[in-house]
């Protein structure tokens, strides 16, 4: 996974970050909502940033640690999206689409971590 241009998870997280930024702009300009949307902006864009760091990790353990942080950020993003949906700042349909994307990102990250750990145990 050294080349982020060929990384499916990096690509998915980058596209999610773009959607997050666009949602943030919409929430600020149209809904005049600044606090919750800022939290989502921070966590939603951090997923890809941590994956990018993982791709440049110094070791397999460092790689795994960065991916765990990306999972935490994705989980936090789910919370903020759910809250924005329930408080009617985001329409149910568009919010659900983003929640599904996060679920997929988390599943892929968990699979990468599991495989990396297995490979690490095989080497040792």
């Amino acid at each position: 996974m050294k080349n982020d241009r060929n990384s499916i998870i990096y690509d998915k997280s980058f596209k999610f970050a773009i959607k997050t930024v666009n949602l943030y702009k919409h929430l600020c300009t149209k809904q005049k909502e600044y606090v919750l949307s800022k939290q989502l902006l921070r966590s939603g864009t951090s997923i890809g940033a941590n994956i990018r760091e993982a791709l440049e990790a110094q070791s397999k353990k460092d790689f795994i640690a960065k991916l765990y942080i990306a999972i935490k950020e994705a989980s936090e993003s789910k919370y903020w999206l759910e809250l924005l949906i329930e408080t009617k700042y985001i329409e149910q349909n568009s919010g659900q689409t983003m929640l599904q994307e996060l679920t997929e990102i988390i599943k892929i990250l968990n699979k990468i971590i599991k495989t990396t750990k297995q490979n690490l145990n095989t080497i040792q």
Side-chain angles (χ1 to χ4, degrees):
M1 283 192 67
K2 283 295 182 197
N3 186 349
D4 55 321
R5 296 183 205 285
N6 296 324
S7 171
I8 292 168
I9 189 59
Y10 179 78
D11 186 49
K12 284 184 179 297
S13 66
F14 190 79
K15 287 177 181 172
F16 183 81
I18 291 169
K19 286 184 179 182
T20 301
V21 170
N22 289 331
L23 177 58
Y24 171 76
K25 291 192 289 188
H26 169 78
L27 288 169
C28 288
T29 57
K30 303 285 189 221
Q31 302 281 2
K32 304 297 182 211
E33 197 301 305
Y34 305 101
V35 178
L36 302 176
S37 57
K38 186 73 162 202
Q39 295 283 34
L40 177 62
L41 177 68
R42 189 201 54 74
S43 63
T45 56
S46 183
I47 301 163
N50 280 289
I51 292 169
R52 181 71 171 258
E53 281 188 51
L55 294 170
E56 301 298 327
Q58 295 175 341
S59 67
K60 294 276 187 197
K61 288 182 180 181
D62 186 33
F63 175 77
I64 291 168
K66 297 285 192 261
L67 293 185
Y68 272 127
I69 295 170
I71 289 173
K72 288 171 145 184
E73 295 296 338
S75 181
E76 182 180 338
S77 297
K78 283 181 86 169
Y79 174 82
W80 295 120
L81 275 172
E82 290 166 352
L83 189 57
L84 286 162
I85 291 166
E86 288 298 316
T87 54
K88 309 281 190 261
Y89 280 108
I90 301 175
E91 290 181 21
Q92 185 78 25
N93 289 342
S94 60
Q96 286 302 321
T97 300
M98 289 183 76
L99 286 171
Q100 289 170 351
E101 290 173 26
L102 280 171
T103 299
E104 185 179 350
I105 287 169
I106 291 169
K107 284 180 183 179
I108 294 169
L109 288 169
N110 277 317
K111 181 66 176 160
I112 293 168
I113 289 168
K114 182 180 177 185
T115 302
T116 304
K117 282 182 172 181
Q118 288 171 345
N119 292 341
L120 193 58
N121 289 334
T122 305
I123 293 169
Q124 294 177 347

